[in-house]
Amino acid sequence: MAKITYLHPNGTATVVDVQAPNTVMRGAKLNNIDGIEAQCGGSAQCGTCHVYVDEQSTVPLPPMDSVEDDVLYGTACPRRESSRLSCQLPVTEELDGLVVHLPEAQS
Amino acid sequence: MAARGVVVIGAGQGGLDTVATLRAKGYGGPVTLVGEEPVLPYQRPPLSKGFLTGATGHDELTLRTESFFAAQDIAVVRGDRAERIELDVQRVRLASGGTLRYDKLVLATGSRPRTLPVPGMDLSGVLTLRSLADAEALRGLLSGPPRQVVVLGAGFVGLETAATARGLGHDVTVVEAQRRVLARALTPQMSDWLAGRHRRQGVGLLLGAEVTALHGTPAGEVAAVQLLDGRRLPADLVIVGVGALPETRLATEAGLLVGDGVIVDQWLRTDDRSVYAIGDCARFPSAAHGRHIRLESVQNASDQARCVAAAICGESAPYTAVPWFWSEQYALRLQMAGLTAGHDETVTVGDPDGARFSVLCFRQGRLTGAESVGRPADHAIARRLLSSGTGPSPAEARTPGFDLKSFVIKPSSPAPAHA
């Protein structure tokens, strides 16, 4: 289990405990966090679960594969160095304390 | 906030996204989701793919857990069916005898598989694939020894199921009345490429072939598919994927405007201002198509659900989302964005031989749609370009070395997440 913080564009934060084998995306969906759409259900097709990983975060994340990298070209809000698809971030103990910023829009 | 709240009929992707978005946006009234199936809302796309092979389990299909609905104070009526809508008193009657009053009603009733009007459709071993129960039955039949499978229809469900069955080692033949696969959805270039791919995998593809009957054994099990040209294909499993019809019974009987789908305006309202319709069952005005259309896709159901939930919360905006769709067949990622029908010019970029290419569709010099295989960046960028109404000209797209990535601003160097 890991504690994940989702920061909304208006500055409010939602902190939830997410269990493995869920992803950071599914953690948001299970807690009905507005701002994650995930239309494709987590198969890296749609780019509507885009998050910005907090710049201060030191939580180790899995490397990005080429499909995720490609899908991130189409996000509704600008891609940044910190951009990830939250469906490609499986929750492990190591993710405890992860902070992600939600973009203004997903589609 | 009025007390009767929102009732959503249909617990598929659109129905679920409607109720979840209402709560995410802070809607405070009662919210009820009514579904005929006994299970919680689940994802349909894996039913023709990973679920059939066993790679995707039940838990991964389920879109939300039981505790989600409790925590969000969303009433879920399962295994019951909306029998009648009484528009005059804003009430839904359920088959179980219960009633639900509403301030706003959302029809998300989806679609059901078409059948073929030929003898033998009721034989044992003839299946359609729409629901989880359908997929469980099919998974059972495909998990055994090799079978002679005949798939009727080369649409998405038919081709995905054919690819999955072939991957599991079955003998597979696809019969399609049109002269090419996915004739309504894909350009001839992509259609022909995909047909070639299926044939290389060992799938028999009979195009322009009409089925006249299914023959059975004395025990009532399917044994063969009869074609108009006299051919008789041995089959011990027939999968029927010949399209879907919108579920409009409730709307028709209630007296709402219906015509191959529940007719809605650009805000997805029916001709009764308290009733919306979304997803597969709704026929809506498309700015890009210039007419009313009906779309069967997760994207459309999900985006329309969000549009309606926002409207109910007082943030009304017309529905203008760029349609997109994906399919997985063998290890291929096939993705479509925008409008590929009605083009007057196409440009193919990338490497079809290496299964990494896109067909860009233009009309009067403007990008209107894109089909991609193994090029997720092209798809992602095309969607953005289509929603902003920009994009390359056909001449630019034909320039050697052209890459859609040049139309995107490069990732910025480290920057605050929110400016």
Side-chain angles (χ1 to χ4, degrees):
Chain A
M1 188 157 77
K3 205 171 278 298
I4 312 281
T5 301
Y6 300 85
L7 283 170
H8 298 269
N10 66 8
T12 62
T14 308
V15 186
V16 297
D17 289 322
V18 187
Q19 306 263 7
N22 289 306
T23 59
V24 174
M25 175 279 280
R26 198 155 156 89
K29 299 301 284 182
L30 290 172
N31 292 284
N32 217 19
I33 292 170
D34 197 14
I36 295 287
E37 293 183 11
Q39 290 184 351
C40 73
S43 52
Q45 298 275 355
C46 70
T48 63
C49 69
H50 176 209
V51 294
Y52 301 111
V53 175
D54 190 75
E55 301 291 345
Q56 313 302 317
S57 176
T58 54
V59 172
L61 296 176
M64 187 184 294
D65 69 16
S66 67
V67 170
E68 181 181 352
D69 182 53
D70 276 3
V71 173
L72 281 168
Y73 279 101
T75 54
C77 284
R79 177 180 186 169
R80 302 185 198 283
E81 291 289 351
S82 60
S83 288
R84 293 297 301 257
L85 292 182
S86 56
C87 72
Q88 300 302 300
L89 301 176
V91 168
T92 60
E93 300 283 336
E94 287 197 313
L95 252 59
D96 189 49
L98 178 69
V99 177
V100 296
H101 298 256
L102 298 168
E104 298 273 350
Q106 293 284 7
S107 58
Chain B
M1 195 62 67
R4 290 179 296 187
V6 180
V7 172
V8 180
I9 303 177
Q13 185 82 46
L16 172 69
D17 282 350
T18 304
V19 297
T21 307
L22 281 170
R23 287 294 186 236
K25 287 187 170 298
Y27 180 80
V31 173
T32 307
L33 181 64
V34 182
E36 281 186 38
E37 292 176 73
V39 293
L40 286 174
Y42 57 86
Q43 298 189 62
R44 279 181 212 278
L47 294 183
S48 50
K49 312 171 190 105
F51 185 76
L52 289 183
T53 65
T56 306
H58 272 102
D59 287 356
E60 293 158 89
L61 287 185
T62 304
L63 285 161
R64 297 289 191 284
T65 57
E66 199 85 57
S67 58
F68 169 87
F69 295 99
Q72 298 294 323
D73 192 20
I74 295 166
V76 184
V77 176
R78 282 188 268 172
D80 198 354
R81 149 190 159 91
E83 206 49 59
R84 191 151 39 104
I85 302 167
E86 297 166 326
L87 296 175
D88 51 346
V89 290
Q90 296 182 224
R91 184 168 58 195
V92 176
R93 288 194 174 276
L94 301 174
S96 62
T99 57
L100 299 166
R101 302 290 297 270
Y102 63 82
D103 295 305
K104 298 290 181 191
L105 177 67
V106 180
L107 300 175
T109 48
S111 55
R112 64 180 188 280
R114 272 186 65 217
T115 56
L116 283 178
V118 301
M121 290 292 288
D122 54 349
L123 288 165
S124 167
V126 181
L127 283 82
T128 54
L129 179 54
R130 173 75 194 167
S131 66
L132 179 58
D134 294 339
E136 280 171 338
L138 186 54
R139 183 169 68 170
L141 292 170
L142 290 176
S143 66
R147 288 175 169 272
Q148 286 188 301
V149 180
V150 174
V151 177
L152 306 185
F156 287 109
V157 169
L159 291 179
E160 288 175 1
T161 309
T164 304
R166 186 71 196 120
L168 290 169
H170 299 280
D171 179 50
V172 181
T173 302
V174 178
V175 179
E176 166 59 50
Q178 302 282 323
R179 293 269 161 206
R180 57 187 183 89
V181 304
L182 282 162
R184 274 171 306 179
L186 296 183
T187 60
Q189 294 96 309
M190 186 59 83
S191 192
D192 291 348
W193 184 90
L194 190 61
R197 185 57 185 245
H198 277 273
R199 288 191 165 116
R200 278 207 305 283
Q201 297 290 145
V203 169
L205 266 186
L206 304 181
L207 302 174
E210 196 178 325
V211 175
T212 54
L214 305 182
H215 300 301
T217 65
E221 290 173 345
V222 73
V225 173
Q226 181 69 54
L227 303 184
L228 183 63
D229 64 11
R231 278 180 290 183
R232 195 180 168 112
L233 311 171
D236 52 19
L237 175 58
V238 172
I239 301 163
V240 184
V242 291
L245 297 170
E247 280 288 6
T248 54
R249 179 187 65 84
L250 282 170
T252 302
E253 290 176 7
L256 293 168
L257 196 56
V258 172
D260 184 36
V262 184
I263 309 289
V264 294
D265 64 13
Q266 57 183 321
W267 293 275
L268 309 174
R269 299 177 303 196
T270 67
D271 53 326
D272 179 312
R273 287 292 177 255
S274 303
V275 184
Y276 296 85
I278 60 169
D280 290 21
C281 75
R283 194 163 191 85
F284 65 96
S286 157
H289 294 71
R291 59 187 168 84
H292 276 69
I293 61 166
R294 205 168 60 75
L295 288 176
E296 293 163 11
S297 73
V298 171
Q299 170 273 320
N300 185 61
S302 184
D303 280 336
Q304 292 196 332
R306 272 175 252 277
C307 182
V308 162
I312 292 171
C313 293
E315 309 163 19
S316 191
Y319 182 69
T320 57
V322 171
W324 67 269
F325 195 82
W326 86 93
S327 179
E328 288 163 79
Q329 295 166 38
Y330 310 109
L332 302 171
R333 291 168 71 94
L334 171 61
Q335 298 176 298
M336 293 130 278
L339 199 57
T340 54
H343 61 266
D344 52 29
E345 199 171 355
T346 62
V347 178
T348 300
V349 297
D351 173 22
D353 294 336
R356 290 178 186 278
F357 72 107
S358 296
V359 179
L360 305 181
C361 299
F362 298 88
R363 189 184 177 110
Q364 295 174 336
R366 281 172 62 96
L367 184 70
T368 58
E371 300 165 334
S372 307
V373 166
R375 301 257 291 194
D378 283 1
H379 171 75
I381 295 163
R383 273 170 51 198
R384 293 264 69 85
L385 295 175
L386 290 165
S387 70
S388 65
T390 56
S393 67
E396 284 174 299
R398 268 193 212 96
T399 312
F402 170 79
D403 193 335
L404 270 177
K405 285 180 182 169
S406 64
F407 277 77
V408 190
I409 299 162
K410 294 281 182 292
S412 56
S413 48
H418 298 292

